[in-house]
Amino acid sequence: MKIHEHTAKDLFEAEGIAVPKRYVANTTSEAEEAALKIAGAVVVKAQILVAGRGKAGAILKANGKEETSKAARQLLGAIFRGATVSSVLVEEQLSISKEFYLGFAIERASKKAIMIASEEGGVDLEETARSRPTAILRILLDPLLGLRTYQARLAGKALNIPTPALASFIGICQRMYKIFVENDCELLESNPLALTKSSQLVALDARMVIDDNASYKHPEHGEGTEELTPRESSAKQMGLSFVELDGDVGIIGNGAGLVMATLDLVAHHGAKAANFLDVGGGAQAEQVKAAVQLIVKLPNVKVILLNIMGGITRCDEVAMGVVQAFTETGSKLPIVSRLVGTREEEGQRILSEAGIEMTKSMELAAKKAVSLLK
Amino acid sequence: MKIHEHTAKDLFEAEGIAVPKRYVANTTSEAEEAALKIAGAVVVKAQILVAGRGKAGAILKANGKEETSKAARQLLGAIFRGATVSSVLVEEQLSISKEFYLGFAIERASKKAIMIASEEGGVDLEETARSRPTAILRILLDPLLGLRTYQARLAGKALNIPTPALASFIGICQRMYKIFVENDCELLESNPLALTKSSQLVALDARMVIDDNASYKHPEHGEGTEELTPRESSAKQMGLSFVELDGDVGIIGNGAGLVMATLDLVAHHGAKAANFLDVGGGAQAEQVKAAVQLIVKLPNVKVILLNIMGGITRCDEVAMGVVQAFTETGSKLPIVSRLVGTREEEGQRILSEAGIEMTKSMELAAKKAVSLLK
Amino acid sequence: MNIVAVLVNNNTRILVQGITGREGANHTRSMLQYGTKVVAGVTPGKKGAKIEGVPVFDSVQEAIDFDPKINTSVLFVPARQVEDAVYEAADSAIPLIVIITENVPVHSTIRVVDYAARKGLQIVGPNCPGVISPGLSKVGIMPGHLFSKGKVGMVSRSGTLTYEIASSLTRAGIGQSTAIGIGGDPVIGLSFMDAVQLLEDDPETEKIVIVGEIGGDAEERLAASRAKLQNRKPMVSFVAGRAAPPGRRMGHAGAIISMGSGTAEEKTKALREAGIPVADLPSEISDLLSSSESKDK
Amino acid sequence: MNIVAVLVNNNTRILVQGITGREGANHTRSMLQYGTKVVAGVTPGKKGAKIEGVPVFDSVQEAIDFDPKINTSVLFVPARQVEDAVYEAADSAIPLIVIITENVPVHSTIRVVDYAARKGLQIVGPNCPGVISPGLSKVGIMPGHLFSKGKVGMVSRSGTLTYEIASSLTRAGIGQSTAIGIGGDPVIGLSFMDAVQLLEDDPETEKIVIVGEIGGDAEERLAASRAKLQNRKPMVSFVAGRAAPPGRRMGHAGAIISMGSGTAEEKTKALREAGIPVADLPSEISDLLSSSESKDK
C-alpha cells in the first residue's frame, strides 16, 4: 500500500526529521492561502501515488499567490500516469547545496532489511544503479538490533556528508529506520534528502510503501484501495486476489502460480487475458460465485477460462459457484473449464448438467478459449 | 536508584496497566482531600524507598476523612528503617480475590533479563523462595526479542490466572517488560498483582529500581540521591565511590576490591571502618584532596588509613592531594599510609616530608591504624 | 536433527500448530490419510481436545513432553500469530518448521527466519504448500494422490502449479523423490538455492524440476550459481508470469515485477544461459526431463 | 580465532577503540612499553592521527583493512558508546573484545554479550582491568611490572586487588601464567567459571588463584562445579567484602549483598566445602599456594 507524500512527511516530522514547511491544498484557494503563509518561492506537488512525478510534470515551481494558484489549477483534477490529482502539497522552496538518496527496503536475497544510500540523490535510483552502481551504498541491517549508530556514521562518511551535519544524518537514518519498522514498510525513502545552504539536512521528498500483509496493524493509513480500480477494491473486500488487465479472456483459477501460468498460456496462443483472478485455496461456492460475477461484468471479456487444480479447493463447490453466478447474472458468455482434483467427478457433473464444456488440460482449455474469440 | 511507588504506578498507568485510583499527599489536609475524592475505604502508604513497608507499619488502612487524616498524621514525618516519610499515597481499597507476584530482574548467571512470577503474591518473594521454591516461575528473556507472547501465556497458565483474565495478564507482562527495558531497570515488580472480585488484574504495588549506570538516560527520575546521606550525595557529585559506615577507621583507597579488602583487614584486627571510599583509577591530586577532606570531617573517625596500589593512579598525585587536604583542613588526625605503584618514590617522599608515616604493606598499615585507636 | 530423504521422511513426526482451525483440522486428516505421522497438535486453550484422534495441547512444550520425538512442526495459525508460534516452536528446538499460513507480514518473517537461523533450525515458507516425499510423508497441503514415488525432485514457488506439473509427471510415468514448496513470499526461510542444494545432495533424486515465477532474482541467482558447477544433476525449469504486467502483485506477495526487475524474460534468459532448459508450457516438462539426460552429468 | 596461552599471547595484535582519549592514549603507551602489539586505533573523526606511533582510523573496518591480523580489540570508549563500539568490533568478527570502560548500563551489556555470543566471539568485561600473560602480552590496564612470568593463573573480579595479590606472589618468587580480570559488573562476558576453565585447559598453568568479592553467586557456582571434578588443578581463593554491609554497593556495580545473598560468608563456605582454601589475608595466598600441591592432582 503506497502512502501519500504528505502523510509520510507528517510521520517524518513527528519523529523529528526536518521537512520543508508545507500545506495540503484540495482547492486552488487553499493553495493560494498556503502560498501566502509560506511567503516565498514554493513547489506545488501533485499528491498522487505514482513514481516519477517530476518527469511527468506533476511538480511545478511557483512564486507568490498568482503563480501558486495557476500551478494548483493546472494540477488539480489532472491525470498523470492514470492517477487523478485530488490534492496538492504547497511547500516552501529551500536553497539546496547538495542532494542525497536515503532509503530502507527489504532485500530478498539476504532475507533482511537494508539501508540504501547514495551521494547522488534527486535522480532516479534505478538509473544510478545502472550507470554508476558503485555510487550506491547498501547496508545490511540485523533484524533484531536494526541500524546501529556506527553503520549510519560510516554511511554518512561514505556519502561525504559534511562533518557539521553528520550527527543530524545519523539521527535521520535512525529515525527513518524506526518509521520503516514501526509502520511495516516495504520501502521508505527520501529522494532527495537535501543539504541546504545553511547546512541543514531536510527530507525534500518522502516515499512510503506499507506491506499489505501488515496493513491491519496500521488502520490509520486506510485500506490502500486508492491505487485500485473500483472492481479491484470490491474484489479485495471479498478476499479475491484480482488484477484488471486489458485483454478479452476472463480468467478464474486457484493459486497464484497456476493463474499466472494460465495467463501465459492465453498469451502463448496469441490472445490477452482480461484479468488475473485467484479464488485462493479452499474457496467456497459463495466466493466462486462472486468471482464469476466479477468477471462476467468486465466490459472487455468475450470468453471465460476457468482453471481449477483442486487440492484444498473442492471442485463441487467451484462448480456450484459457477452455475449460480451464470444463473443469477443470466450471462451468455462462453466459458471453457478445466476442473480437476478433490471431488472432480461431482464438480464436472454439475458443470456438464449446466451445459458447460469441460476440457482435459489447462493447455487445451486455454487453446479452446482463445479459439472462441474468433 | 530506587523509584517511589507513586512514580512507578504513574508509569504503569501511562502504559495501560490497571492501578488503583490514588493521590499523593504531602500534608494531612491533602490526604483528607484524597479520601473525599476516593469516597470509600483507602490505604495510606508511606512513600519511602525501603522494602517491607507493610511489616514496618508504614502502610495503614483507613475509611473516610477522619481515619485517613489520622493515618496520614501518623505516617508523615515518621521514620521507618532510617527513611523519613515526606509524602503518603492515599489509594482506594479494592476487593481482592487473589494475589500474584510478577517481576522482572537481571540474572547474573544467565547474563539475561528474567521474568519472575508466582501464584503466591502479596508475601515476601525471598520467603517463598526459601519455603516453596517450586512456587516461583523464572522465565529467561531473549535480550533482543524480549518477552514473547507465548511465554507470558504459559506463565499465566502456570499461575492459574482465570481464562477471562489471561489476555489481560499477557498484556501486563508485556507492558511491564517494556517499562523495565525502556527505563533501564535492574528490578521492576508488582507484588501483589491482584485479581479483583470483578476479575480485573490490578497492580496494587509497584517497585522499581533503575540501574545507576543508566540514570543519565532518565533525568526525569532525578539523581537518585534520596537514599544517600548528605555526605554520600556530595561524594557522588565529586565522582567518588563512598559509603558511610559506623566504625572509626577512615578508609581511602583505590579500586573497589582493594578498598573492600582494606575494610576486611580492619575488621580482622578487631576494629570497624568508618566508611568505604574508592578514589577510582587515575585519581588526580584534586580528587584525593576532596576525598581526604570528606573523611577528615566524618564525626566518628579517629584514624585514617590510606591504601593505594597505583597502576593508573600516580602515587605523587595521591600524596599531593593528601598533604593539601591536611594543610587546608588543619586536621590533626593520625594517618597511616601505604602507597605503592607508579611514581611511588616521589609519592612516599612527599608524604614523608609532610611527616606522614609509611608502611610496607596494606596488612601492616591496617594493623598499625587499628593500634592507633587505643 | 533428523532430516534425511530431504526434509521429510518416514521418521518425520509432526506437530500441527493451529490444529483446531478449519484448515489445520482438514489437513491433519489429509496428512494422516497419506500416512504421515501427525502425533500432536497445539491450540492454546484447547488442551484435551482431539482432532482426528490426535491429542491437542496448550503449548509446544507440552506436546514435546508428550512425544519427545517430534521433529517437525507445521503451522496453520492465523497470520498475526505466526511470529509468536514460530518463536515457540524454535524455543523448543524443533528442527523443521513449515509455515503454511499466507499473508504473514514480511517484517515478522524477517525476524523469525533470522531467529531460526541463529538456532540452526530450518523454516520452510511462509505461504507455502509444504514438503512431500511421495510414499513417505507429506507435511503440508499438497493433494497426495497427484504425486508418485520416483526420482525427480521439485522445488517451486507456487502451490497449485506444483500440483499441475507433478500430476503431469505422474501421468507421464515420472515419479518424484521430494517436492518442496518454498512459498510465494518475498522473504522465505528455505531459499530456492538452498532447496535445490538439498536435492543435489539427495541420493534419491536424479533430476530436478524448478518452478519459478516473476519477482525477485532467486532464479537468476540459482542460474548463476549452477553455471559454475562441474557436476550437477539434470535440471529443467518453468517460469510463470510471462504475461504479467509490471508493478502489479500477481496473487503472491513476492510475484511482482518492480523497478523493472524480476521479469519472466530475465529469468528465462538467465536459466537458459546456465544451460537449464525452460519449458514454454507446463506439459513440456516431462519431455524436457526425458531429453535432459545427456546435457548434464 | 587465535587464542592460545589463554586469551592473549605474542600473536595478539590489538586494536584500541577510543585510542585518542586520555585513558586510551595512556594505556596504549603502557601496553606498547610492555611489548604488546598495539597495531591500530579507532576514534571516529580522528583518522590520520597517530598515538605513540599507532595509526588512528575512523572505523574498525578501516583498521582491519590496514592490518587484517588484528585479533583483539580493547575498548576505552565512554560508557554510553560502548554498546555501539562492541557491535562495530563484533561485526568485523574480532574474536576477543576487552571492555575496560566502567559504568556501562547493564541492559547494554546484556545485549552486547548476547550479540557476541551468537557470533562466537568472546567479550571480557566490562569494568575490568583486562588480561595479562606476563612476558607475552598485556591487554588492558594492569601495571605490568608487578607481574612476573610463571605457572599460576589468576582470575579476579577486582583490578587493584589483583595487582596487590600478583605483586605479593611476585615478591614470593611465584610467577603467573595469565591473569584475567573478568570485571566487577553484575553481567560480564567471560564468567568466573569460563575463565577458570580456560586456565584448567592451559598447559602453562599449574595452579589457580581466584579473587572473588561480595555480590551474586559466581563463586558459589564455581565451587559447586569444581566439587564434582575428578582432576583439577590446585586452587586457592580470596573473597573481598567480609566487612561490607548488606544493600550497599561497594564501588563495583556487582559488589552488593542483596536480598540476603551474595555475602562473603556464603562464598567462603561454598569454596571451603569444595576443598578450595580461602585466604583470610591477601598475603596468605602465596603460602596457601605452596601447600596446595598435595590436596589436588
Side-chain angles (χ1 to χ4, degrees):
Chain A
M1 170 169 52
K2 290 178 187 146
I3 302 301
H4 278 294
E5 176 195 5
H6 64 88
T7 307
K9 280 188 169 164
D10 290 348
L11 289 172
F12 276 36
E13 194 166 50
E15 206 56 64
I17 300 171
V19 284
K21 195 172 175 185
R22 71 217 177 278
Y23 300 93
V24 177
N26 298 301
T27 62
T28 316
S29 65
E30 283 175 11
E32 288 171 7
E33 259 177 66
L36 291 175
K37 282 189 215 153
I38 291 171
V42 300
V43 193
V44 185
K45 305 162 94 175
Q47 295 302 285
I48 46 176
L49 298 172
V50 299
R53 288 177 301 168
K55 279 187 195 165
I59 296 178
L60 303 172
K61 292 193 171 180
N63 202 333
K65 188 180 149 186
E66 307 309 321
E67 285 183 33
T68 304
S69 176
K70 193 182 149 205
R73 200 156 37 240
Q74 194 176 327
L75 293 178
L76 286 165
I79 297 176
F80 295 96
R81 300 183 178 179
T84 307
V85 182
S86 63
S87 67
V88 295
L89 192 65
V90 181
E91 188 170 86
E92 64 171 332
Q93 268 187 51
L94 298 170
S95 299
I96 301 306
S97 66
K98 195 166 174 182
E99 299 189 333
F100 301 93
Y101 174 95
L102 184 62
F104 292 85
I106 307 289
E107 189 182 64
R108 295 182 185 215
S110 62
K111 306 174 187 177
K112 289 183 170 62
I114 55 168
M115 183 170 101
I116 307 165
S118 176
E119 197 175 344
E120 302 176 13
V123 295
D124 189 350
L125 187 75
E126 284 176 61
E127 248 172 67
T128 312
R130 269 187 295 272
S131 59
R132 304 207 331 103
T134 55
I136 295 176
L137 201 67
R138 289 170 53 266
I139 295 175
L140 223 59
L141 306 177
D142 184 286
L144 301 181
L145 279 176
L147 177 71
R148 275 145 283 169
T149 310
Y150 88 86
Q151 294 179 309
R153 180 165 42 76
L154 295 185
K157 272 205 54 186
L159 261 56
N160 290 310
I161 302 278
T163 308
L166 191 57
S168 159
F169 177 79
I170 294 170
I172 290 171
C173 292
Q174 290 171 324
R175 287 161 177 162
M176 277 182 67
Y177 178 71
K178 183 162 180 266
I179 296 170
F180 176 74
V181 173
E182 288 184 353
N183 290 278
D184 280 282
C185 293
E186 284 178 5
L187 177 75
L188 180 71
E189 65 177 26
S190 178
N191 186 20
L193 173 68
L195 185 72
T196 63
K197 295 243 162 84
S198 54
S199 286
Q200 275 236 311
L201 282 168
V202 181
L204 284 199
D205 196 6
R207 236 181 109 202
M208 182 168 176
V209 183
I210 291 180
D211 175 11
D212 286 340
N213 287 346
S215 57
Y216 73 89
K217 293 192 214 171
H218 309 285
E220 70 278 15
H221 293 310
E223 298 189 13
T225 51
E226 186 178 332
E227 298 160 79
L228 305 180
T229 67
R231 284 188 206 89
E232 287 173 346
S233 286
S234 68
K236 187 177 176 179
Q237 273 155 3
M238 290 184 286
L240 299 170
S241 188
F242 172 71
V243 178
E244 266 187 71
L245 303 170
D246 55 4
D248 42 18
V249 182
I251 309 280
I252 301 169
N254 67 324
L258 190 72
V259 178
M260 274 191 273
T262 311
L263 265 63
D264 294 347
L265 279 173
V266 168
H268 181 79
H269 291 294
K272 285 178 84 177
N275 69 287
F276 170 100
L277 196 160
D278 173 8
V279 295
Q284 309 281 301
E286 203 53 35
Q287 214 167 347
V288 175
K289 187 177 107 183
V292 176
Q293 286 175 337
L294 188 72
I295 300 305
V296 160
K297 287 176 194 155
L298 285 177
N300 297 339
V301 169
K302 300 210 181 81
V303 59
I304 294 176
L305 170 52
L306 176 75
N307 182 17
I308 301 291
M309 163 54 76
I312 327 174
T313 311
R314 281 170 44 177
C315 292
D316 55 345
E317 289 279 344
V318 172
M320 283 189 290
V322 171
V323 172
Q324 283 169 22
F326 270 82
T327 310
E328 289 188 18
T329 57
S331 169
K332 301 294 174 205
L333 277 177
I335 174 165
V336 180
S337 63
R338 185 277 187 129
L339 187 63
V340 295
T342 313
R343 299 200 185 229
E344 63 180 47
E345 292 81 7
E346 293 92 324
Q348 290 174 1
R349 187 178 46 73
I350 293 167
L351 288 189
S352 298
E353 285 172 7
I356 294 172
E357 197 177 346
M358 303 299 303
T359 54
K360 284 204 154 180
S361 76
M362 64 186 272
E363 293 171 15
L364 288 174
K367 199 170 173 180
K368 173 85 185 179
V370 173
S371 74
L372 290 176
L373 287 176
K374 285 147 201 174
Chain B
M1 172 170 51
K2 290 180 188 148
I3 301 300
H4 278 292
E5 175 195 7
H6 65 88
T7 307
K9 279 186 169 164
D10 289 348
L11 289 171
F12 275 37
E13 193 165 52
E15 206 55 63
I17 299 170
V19 283
K21 196 174 175 184
R22 71 218 174 278
Y23 299 93
V24 176
N26 298 301
T27 62
T28 314
S29 65
E30 283 175 11
E32 289 171 6
E33 261 178 65
L36 291 174
K37 283 188 212 152
I38 290 171
V42 299
V43 194
V44 185
K45 304 161 95 176
Q47 295 302 285
I48 46 176
L49 298 171
V50 299
R53 288 178 301 167
K55 281 188 194 163
I59 296 179
L60 303 172
K61 292 194 172 182
N63 202 334
K65 188 181 149 185
E66 308 309 321
E67 284 182 33
T68 305
S69 176
K70 193 183 151 207
R73 201 160 30 242
Q74 194 175 327
L75 294 177
L76 285 166
I79 297 175
F80 296 95
R81 298 184 179 181
T84 306
V85 182
S86 62
S87 67
V88 296
L89 193 64
V90 181
E91 188 171 85
E92 65 171 334
Q93 268 187 50
L94 298 170
S95 298
I96 301 307
S97 66
K98 195 166 173 181
E99 298 188 332
F100 302 93
Y101 175 95
L102 183 61
F104 292 84
I106 307 291
E107 190 183 63
R108 297 183 184 212
S110 61
K111 307 173 187 178
K112 288 183 171 62
I114 56 168
M115 184 170 99
I116 306 165
S118 177
E119 198 176 347
E120 302 175 14
V123 294
D124 188 350
L125 187 76
E126 282 177 62
E127 246 172 70
T128 313
R130 267 189 294 273
S131 58
R132 302 205 333 101
T134 55
I136 296 175
L137 200 66
R138 288 172 53 267
I139 295 175
L140 222 59
L141 306 177
D142 184 285
L144 301 181
L145 279 176
L147 177 72
R148 274 146 282 171
T149 310
Y150 88 86
Q151 294 179 308
R153 179 165 43 74
L154 296 185
K157 274 205 51 185
L159 262 55
N160 291 309
I161 301 278
T163 307
L166 191 57
S168 159
F169 177 78
I170 294 171
I172 290 172
C173 291
Q174 290 171 325
R175 287 161 177 162
M176 276 182 67
Y177 178 70
K178 184 164 180 265
I179 296 171
F180 176 74
V181 172
E182 288 184 352
N183 289 278
D184 280 281
C185 293
E186 284 178 5
L187 177 75
L188 181 70
E189 66 177 26
S190 179
N191 185 22
L193 173 69
L195 185 71
T196 64
K197 294 241 160 86
S198 53
S199 285
Q200 275 237 310
L201 283 168
V202 181
L204 285 199
D205 196 7
R207 235 181 109 202
M208 183 168 175
V209 183
I210 291 180
D211 176 10
D212 285 340
N213 287 347
S215 58
Y216 74 89
K217 293 192 212 170
H218 310 286
E220 70 278 16
H221 293 309
E223 298 190 13
T225 51
E226 187 177 331
E227 299 160 78
L228 305 181
T229 67
R231 281 187 208 93
E232 285 172 346
S233 286
S234 68
K236 189 176 176 180
Q237 274 156 0
M238 290 186 284
L240 299 170
S241 187
F242 172 71
V243 178
E244 265 187 72
L245 303 170
D246 54 3
D248 42 18
V249 181
I251 309 278
I252 300 169
N254 68 324
L258 190 72
V259 178
M260 275 190 272
T262 310
L263 265 63
D264 295 347
L265 279 174
V266 167
H268 181 79
H269 291 294
K272 286 177 85 177
N275 70 286
F276 170 99
L277 196 161
D278 174 8
V279 295
Q284 308 282 301
E286 203 54 35
Q287 215 167 347
V288 175
K289 187 176 104 182
V292 176
Q293 285 174 335
L294 188 72
I295 300 306
V296 160
K297 287 176 196 155
L298 284 177
N300 296 339
V301 168
K302 299 211 184 80
V303 58
I304 295 177
L305 170 53
L306 175 76
N307 182 16
I308 300 292
M309 163 53 76
I312 327 172
T313 310
R314 279 169 45 178
C315 293
D316 54 346
E317 288 280 342
V318 172
M320 282 189 289
V322 171
V323 172
Q324 283 169 22
F326 271 81
T327 308
E328 289 187 19
T329 56
S331 169
K332 302 293 173 205
L333 278 176
I335 173 165
V336 180
S337 64
R338 185 276 191 131
L339 186 64
V340 294
T342 311
R343 297 199 187 227
E344 62 181 49
E345 291 81 8
E346 293 91 324
Q348 290 175 0
R349 186 177 47 74
I350 292 167
L351 289 190
S352 299
E353 285 174 7
I356 294 171
E357 198 177 348
M358 304 299 305
T359 55
K360 284 202 155 183
S361 75
M362 63 187 272
E363 293 170 16
L364 288 174
K367 199 170 173 183
K368 172 84 188 182
V370 173
S371 74
L372 289 178
L373 287 176
K374 286 145 200 174
Chain C
M1 297 226 296
N2 185 358
I3 301 183
V4 294
V6 184
L7 297 171
V8 302
N9 60 29
N10 53 5
N11 291 320
T12 295
R13 296 178 78 82
I14 293 186
L15 168 71
V16 175
Q17 289 179 261
I19 193 170
T20 59
R22 188 177 135 230
E23 302 263 308
N26 282 344
H27 289 291
T28 293
R29 181 170 57 249
S30 161
M31 285 189 277
L32 286 167
Q33 283 167 352
Y34 197 77
T36 304
K37 291 166 188 144
V38 182
V39 296
V42 167
T43 297
K46 295 285 172 72
K47 185 177 183 171
K50 293 221 170 195
I51 297 290
E52 305 289 327
V54 175
V56 180
F57 299 91
D58 276 348
S59 71
V60 172
Q61 195 50 56
E62 285 171 356
I64 300 225
D65 290 344
F66 167 74
D67 185 346
K69 287 185 177 166
I70 287 170
N71 52 17
T72 300
S73 183
V74 54
L75 270 67
F76 291 95
V77 302
R80 53 189 83 184
Q81 289 164 24
V82 163
E83 187 168 348
D84 196 56
V86 175
Y87 292 141
E88 188 176 0
D91 285 349
S92 284
I94 297 181
L96 178 62
I97 299 166
V98 179
I99 309 172
I100 306 299
T101 312
E102 61 179 337
N103 298 324
V104 179
V106 68
H107 284 270
S108 284
T109 302
I110 286 174
R111 283 187 289 265
V112 297
V113 165
D114 179 72
Y115 190 72
R118 62 168 159 132
K119 295 204 168 226
L121 314 172
Q122 184 63 62
I123 285 179
V124 177
N127 190 15
C128 81
V131 183
I132 186 168
S133 285
L136 291 177
S137 187
K138 146 181 143 163
V139 180
I141 63 174
M142 288 98 155
H145 66 280
L146 301 177
F147 293 80
S148 56
K149 197 166 168 53
K151 297 288 188 182
V152 171
M154 295 180 72
V155 177
S156 173
R157 286 172 65 186
S158 156
T160 43
L161 194 51
T162 308
Y163 317 157
E164 180 74 38
I165 292 168
S167 94
S168 79
L169 293 183
T170 296
R171 283 195 307 274
I174 302 171
Q176 304 91 43
S177 51
T178 298
I180 308 171
I182 57 172
D185 276 4
V187 175
I188 49 178
L190 187 76
S191 71
F192 224 127
M193 205 126 59
D194 298 338
V196 166
Q197 192 57 52
L198 291 176
L199 296 175
E200 275 288 346
D201 297 341
D202 172 35
E204 303 299 314
T205 299
E206 288 176 357
K207 300 180 183 184
I208 299 170
V209 172
I210 63 162
V211 183
E213 64 188 30
I214 55 165
D217 61 350
E219 294 83 357
E220 289 89 328
R221 283 182 287 118
L222 175 69
S225 81
R226 286 186 72 80
K228 294 180 210 137
L229 288 185
Q230 288 292 324
N231 287 312
R232 60 187 200 186
K233 295 178 180 173
M235 176 181 279
V236 304
S237 65
F238 183 79
V239 178
R242 277 170 290 160
R248 299 305 307 267
R249 181 166 289 180
M250 295 285 112
H252 284 160
I256 182 165
I257 299 166
S258 64
M259 309 233 225
S261 81
T263 64
E265 286 67 33
E266 287 171 323
K267 293 174 189 300
T268 302
K269 183 164 172 281
L271 290 164
R272 288 192 173 139
E273 283 176 0
I276 301 165
V278 183
D280 275 332
L281 307 174
S283 63
E284 290 174 7
I285 288 176
S286 53
D287 291 345
L288 285 174
L289 273 177
S290 306
S291 63
S292 64
E293 208 78 45
S294 54
K295 294 180 192 161
D296 292 276
K297 82 171 169 198
Chain D
M1 297 225 300
N2 184 359
I3 302 185
V4 293
V6 185
L7 298 170
V8 302
N9 60 30
N10 53 5
N11 290 321
T12 296
R13 294 178 78 82
I14 293 186
L15 169 69
V16 175
Q17 288 180 263
I19 193 169
T20 58
R22 189 177 134 229
E23 302 263 308
N26 281 344
H27 290 291
T28 294
R29 182 173 53 247
S30 160
M31 286 189 278
L32 285 168
Q33 282 168 352
Y34 197 75
T36 305
K37 290 164 189 145
V38 181
V39 295
V42 167
T43 297
K46 296 285 173 73
K47 185 177 182 172
K50 293 222 168 192
I51 296 291
E52 306 288 327
V54 175
V56 180
F57 299 91
D58 276 348
S59 72
V60 172
Q61 195 51 55
E62 286 170 356
I64 298 218
D65 291 344
F66 167 74
D67 184 345
K69 289 186 179 163
I70 286 171
N71 52 18
T72 300
S73 183
V74 55
L75 271 66
F76 292 96
V77 303
R80 53 188 81 183
Q81 288 165 25
V82 163
E83 187 169 350
D84 196 57
V86 175
Y87 293 142
E88 188 175 0
D91 286 349
S92 284
I94 297 180
L96 177 63
I97 300 166
V98 179
I99 310 173
I100 306 298
T101 312
E102 62 179 337
N103 297 323
V104 179
V106 69
H107 284 270
S108 283
T109 302
I110 287 175
R111 283 187 289 268
V112 297
V113 165
D114 179 71
Y115 190 71
R118 63 167 159 133
K119 296 205 167 224
L121 315 173
Q122 184 63 63
I123 286 180
V124 176
N127 190 15
C128 81
V131 183
I132 186 169
S133 285
L136 290 176
S137 189
K138 146 180 146 167
V139 180
I141 63 174
M142 287 102 154
H145 66 280
L146 301 178
F147 292 80
S148 56
K149 195 164 170 56
K151 296 288 188 183
V152 171
M154 295 181 72
V155 177
S156 172
R157 287 171 65 186
S158 155
T160 43
L161 195 50
T162 308
Y163 317 156
E164 179 74 38
I165 292 167
S167 93
S168 79
L169 294 182
T170 296
R171 282 195 307 273
I174 302 170
Q176 304 92 44
S177 51
T178 298
I180 309 172
I182 58 172
D185 277 3
V187 175
I188 49 178
L190 187 76
S191 71
F192 224 128
M193 206 126 62
D194 299 338
V196 166
Q197 192 57 52
L198 291 176
L199 296 175
E200 275 288 347
D201 297 342
D202 172 34
E204 303 299 314
T205 299
E206 288 177 358
K207 300 181 183 182
I208 299 170
V209 172
I210 63 162
V211 183
E213 64 188 30
I214 54 165
D217 61 351
E219 294 82 359
E220 288 90 328
R221 284 182 288 118
L222 175 69
S225 81
R226 286 187 73 80
K228 295 180 208 137
L229 288 185
Q230 289 292 325
N231 287 312
R232 59 185 201 188
K233 295 179 180 173
M235 177 182 278
V236 304
S237 66
F238 182 80
V239 178
R242 277 170 290 160
R248 298 305 307 268
R249 182 165 288 179
M250 295 285 114
H252 284 160
I256 182 167
I257 299 165
S258 63
M259 309 231 229
S261 81
T263 63
E265 286 65 33
E266 287 170 324
K267 293 173 190 300
T268 301
K269 183 164 171 280
L271 290 164
R272 288 193 173 139
E273 282 175 0
I276 301 165
V278 183
D280 275 331
L281 306 175
S283 64
E284 290 173 7
I285 289 176
S286 53
D287 291 343
L288 286 172
L289 273 177
S290 305
S291 63
S292 65
E293 207 81 43
S294 53
K295 295 178 191 161
D296 292 277
K297 82 172 170 196

